[in-house]
Amino acid sequence: MNAPVKFDVIVTASKPRDFVMQPPQSLDRITFNTPDDGVLAGYVSVIRQHLGNGQRFAWVELDNELAGQFRGVPLADIIGCDNCGPARRQAAAANDSRRLCLTDYSGTLADQLRAAGRT
């Protein structure tokens, strides 16, 4: 006879990461919750401690904002992390990443037009 089985413990698929105990590394892409703007995302620049209360913050460069805009995010507010910071640092060190540079080619174009006018 098959007796009904009672399960006391339900195992979840994965335990959420505690970002206060295991903070993200630099160049990790994180998502975090804010009281005023909702859920935002960005790349971690550095982890710093608050001078007053000792709380640790991640300084995050925000996605879809102007370059160089940072926001101090308490580690407790972080929702998720991609853990790809070491790979991004290695790609930058090996120069495998593509660099985007703004360049002024107007002088080159003027030189080409002058050369075309001489011949």
Side-chain angles (χ1 to χ4, degrees), residues 45-59:
S45 177
V46 70
I47 306 290
R48 296 273 185 226
Q49 265 189 324
H50 189 275
L51 293 177
N53 61 10
Q55 184 179 9
R56 293 170 49 186
F57 286 83
W59 285 98

Side-chain angles (χ1 to χ4, degrees), residues 3-14:
V5 179
K6 181 179 178 185
F7 293 101
D8 295 33
V9 179
I10 298 174
V11 179
T12 58
S14 66

Side-chain angles (χ1 to χ4, degrees), residues 62-75:
L62 300 174
D63 285 352
N64 302 322
E65 295 292 335
L66 297 173
Q69 268 192 319
F70 290 89
R71 183 174 186 137
V73 178
L75 295 181

Side-chain angles (χ1 to χ4, degrees), residues 25-29 81-91:
Q25 296 181 358
S26 62
L27 294 181
D28 280 349
R29 186 173 187 280
C81 176
D82 69 354
N83 294 325
C84 291
R88 287 187 187 98
R89 280 192 301 279
Q90 186 177 7

